[in-house]
């Protein structure tokens, strides 16, 4: 069993970058729109997670 001891996320500029990406006509961006609408943005902005074994 483990728990998340620490995590780090992208912020600031990256919100603007995501908005720009999602507004374009790229087919991959269209797929990302659905993922983000389902709540995946927090995971897509994750840059580090430290797990601690219990």
């Amino acid at each position: 069993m483990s728990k998340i001891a620490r995590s780090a996320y992208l912020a600031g500029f990256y919100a603007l970058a995501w908005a720009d990406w999602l507004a374009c006509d790229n087919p991959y961006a269209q797929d990302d729109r659905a993922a983000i609408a389902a709540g995946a943005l927090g995971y897509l902005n994750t840059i580090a997670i430290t797990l601690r074994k219990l």
Side-chain angles (χ1 to χ4, degrees), residues 24-37:
C24 78
D25 291 334
N26 185 300
Y28 292 108
Q30 293 173 3
D31 291 340
D32 287 345
R33 285 183 207 130
I36 288 172

Side-chain angles (χ1 to χ4, degrees), residues 7-29:
S7 60
Y9 303 93
L10 301 173
F13 167 77
Y14 297 99
L16 297 173
W18 274 114
D20 188 49
W21 169 247
L22 296 173
C24 78
D25 291 334
N26 185 300
Y28 292 108

Side-chain angles (χ1 to χ4, degrees), residues 1-2 5 7-8 10 12 14 17 19 21-22 24 28-29 34-35 38-40 42-43 46 48 50 52-54:
M1 190 168 197
S2 61
S7 60
L10 301 173
Y14 297 99
W21 169 247
L22 296 173
C24 78
Y28 292 108
Y43 298 105
T46 302
T50 303
R52 178 164 293 145
K53 187 174 181 179
L54 299 176

